[in-house]
Amino acid sequence: MRLPEVFVAKMKKLLDEEADEFFAVYENEKINGLRVNPLKTDPGAWAKTAPFSLSPVPFCPTGFYYEPDEQPGKHPYHAAGLYYIQEPSAMAAAEALQPEPGDTVLDLCAAPGGKTTQLGAMMKNRGLLVANEIHPKRVKALAENVERFGLTNTIVVNEAPETLAERFPGFFDKILVDAPCSGEGMFRKEEEAASFWSPAYVEECAARQRRILESAYAMLKEGGILVYSTCTFSPEENEQTMEWLLETYDDLRLLPIAKIGGIEPGRPEWTKTNRSDLVHAARLWPHRLKGEGHFVAKLQKQRPTPPWSGRWAKANAPKAAVRLYRQFEQQSLQTVQHGTILSFGSHLAMLPDRCPDLSGLKVVRAGLHLGEAKKERFEPNHALALALRADEAKHVLDLSSDSRECLQYWRGETLSTGGDRGWLLVTVDGFPFGLGKEVKGTVKNFYPKGLRLI
């Protein structure tokens, strides 16, 4: 592929003897990966029986490489949320943050959702995960991926980092800033990224990253962990941005990231002050491991922060609407959903535990979208189906992934069953896939129109 001449000259100077090995990578095909969803299946066991040839990513327990001729994105398992297609080196950032169930976590620049879905799965749907994306078009893809993965502890918002910083000072245990960057690690994956690149664009990205990090620092509580990552090789956006952050906030300290599976240290010699602690950061080089490239740094905040003094969310759903949902739940589910229920017009959502007040924020998805109250009936949402396990539904229609009926359902067609059970969970090889309503032998299809197979 054709790389920008200035970029080539810059990397030759930076990498010196490594440069030929680095540029040789661009003669090969890009590396493909997927990350299995542990909320829905056991990653290791599933990988052995998967309909694709998979091999493990050494620095991500749920990550796997797949061969270039495979197309896992077109399999119904993808639509069922069993895995997320993700560039392998991008998996390292969430692994560095290591959120735990019960944590309060922010993914500040979250679209399209690869790292958000990884964080939510690591949290086992417990605690609070706020996924923010400033761009209105990109936030829709983020919300769809959160839904597909079956995340119920996640609030998706569409705000500027500064707006959130004013609202949530010292609120979060852990924050991920996967910063918008010059995308040098994407050149092989997206050749269009190379056409955008210029030294001026690198400087523009570095300035934007600093503004985002100021907001992230403000939202981190004492002892909290901040992980910063980019998919670029540029020292200006990586080591030098971390150098600026550490000099600006002297209570931040870098924490070491394990250098496994070909991950290498950061380069102190590429900072302006030859800052030695930058060896704790991680560089994922495409000529040192199977991946397109990433930079990751992990920091901890030492300075005390006052307790957050904001308001918590309170239930506001009309009793009649909640009653309709509970009737549906009693008739169709084996499980009871517990939590604070909010209404957004006629729609109901169940919030994660200890969710802050969301009023005034542009909320795209609030926890688990239960469905919509319509006159004297309740229509469950696709998100509810994908958040369930098969044994949590009273009525199940299981389809084989390689069957004609599975394709028919995925296309939005009705199915003939001969039954009359009402709402049922449609599964593919036992994995929740969507909803149907079985009346007088026919299953009316409720698979969302925008997600149907064309």
Side-chain angles (χ1 to χ4, degrees), residues 122 152 447:
M122 293 168 83
T152 61
Y447 200 81

Side-chain angles (χ1 to χ4, degrees), residues 90-335:
M91 301 174 188
E95 290 299 326
L97 190 63
Q98 280 295 310
E100 297 177 354
D103 280 346
T104 302
V105 181
L106 171 64
D107 187 355
L108 189 51
C109 314
K115 295 175 176 69
T116 298
T117 53
Q118 190 174 0
L119 295 170
M122 293 168 83
M123 295 169 73
K124 299 180 181 178
N125 261 336
R126 301 204 294 274
L128 173 70
L129 173 57
V130 176
N132 178 65
E133 175 54 46
I134 193 171
H135 297 289
K137 288 183 180 178
R138 285 169 56 82
V139 80
K140 291 178 182 178
L142 168 63
E144 285 179 4
N145 284 320
V146 164
E147 173 182 281
R148 192 170 53 80
F149 234 61
L151 298 187
T152 61
N153 71 334
T154 305
I155 307 293
V156 177
V157 292
N158 171 216
E159 294 288 356
E162 297 85 355
T163 302
L164 294 180
E166 289 177 13
R167 188 73 171 263
F168 300 112
F171 182 75
F172 292 98
D173 299 309
K174 291 170 182 173
I175 298 177
L176 175 62
V177 175
D178 183 45
C181 67
S182 60
E184 295 168 1
M186 292 291 103
F187 287 175
R188 187 163 57 156
K189 185 181 176 186
E190 300 171 14
E191 290 194 32
E192 189 181 3
S195 66
F196 275 94
W197 188 92
S198 71
Y201 185 49
V202 169
E203 293 297 339
E204 181 186 325
C205 289
R208 181 166 61 232
Q209 290 153 5
R210 293 177 185 187
R211 292 194 299 271
I212 293 169
L213 284 166
E214 286 175 336
S215 296
Y217 175 85
M219 289 185 274
L220 195 62
K221 64 174 60 170
E222 179 184 3
I225 303 295
L226 168 66
V227 164
Y228 173 80
S229 66
T230 72
C231 59
T232 195
F233 307 119
S234 150
E236 295 89 339
E237 300 173 73
N238 295 330
E239 284 88 354
Q240 289 175 28
T241 291
M242 289 298 93
E243 179 182 36
W244 167 84
L245 185 65
L246 291 160
E247 289 176 354
T248 303
Y249 303 105
D250 59 7
D251 65 313
L252 285 175
R253 67 183 181 97
L254 276 166
L255 301 179
I257 294 172
K259 309 303 189 290
I260 56 175
I263 296 176
E264 295 196 346
R267 302 286 183 102
E269 65 273 22
W270 291 348
T271 62
K272 295 176 180 178
T273 58
N274 199 25
R275 206 181 157 113
S276 61
D277 54 354
L278 259 301
V279 296
H280 292 324
R283 274 192 172 267
L284 290 83
W285 292 102
H287 61 295
R288 293 286 183 250
L289 49 73
K290 289 175 66 178
E292 300 305 301
H294 236 67
F295 173 87
V296 186
K298 182 176 182 177
L299 308 100
Q300 187 171 39
K301 186 176 187 177
Q302 310 293 315
R303 187 165 293 152
T305 51
W308 184 67
S309 56
R311 295 176 300 179
W312 300 99
K314 293 181 180 179
N316 73 347
K319 290 181 180 178
V322 174
R323 176 177 53 79
L324 289 174
Y325 168 69
R326 294 301 183 192
Q327 286 176 353
F328 156 79
E329 193 176 61
Q330 190 174 24
Q331 292 165 1
S332 305
L333 302 182
Q334 304 275 21
T335 183

Side-chain angles (χ1 to χ4, degrees), residues 365-417:
R365 178 168 297 274
L368 175 59
H369 188 175
L370 297 172
E372 185 177 8
K374 293 185 171 183
K375 296 181 181 178
E376 281 305 305
R377 62 190 176 88
F378 185 83
E379 187 173 294
N381 189 265
H382 185 63
L384 178 59
L386 293 182
L388 294 170
R389 297 190 312 269
D391 61 5
E392 291 179 313
K394 286 187 177 175
H395 310 299
V396 175
L397 173 62
D398 190 39
L399 306 175
S400 173
S401 59
D402 57 3
S403 68
R404 182 172 57 88
E405 288 80 10
C406 181
L407 287 176
Q408 285 179 302
Y409 176 77
W410 202 358
R411 290 185 187 124
E413 299 171 17
T414 57
L415 298 175
S416 297
T417 57

Side-chain angles (χ1 to χ4, degrees), residues 6-44:
V6 180
F7 170 74
V8 172
K10 177 182 178 180
M11 294 308 295
K12 282 183 176 178
K13 184 176 179 181
L14 286 172
L15 291 176
D16 195 19
E17 294 178 359
E18 282 185 72
D20 288 345
E21 202 176 348
F22 172 78
F23 287 114
V25 166
Y26 291 93
E27 304 302 317
N28 303 323
E29 285 194 68
K30 67 180 177 71
I31 302 298
N32 300 296
L34 60 80
R35 207 188 62 257
V36 180
N37 186 353
L39 297 174
K40 295 179 182 278
T41 188
D42 176 79

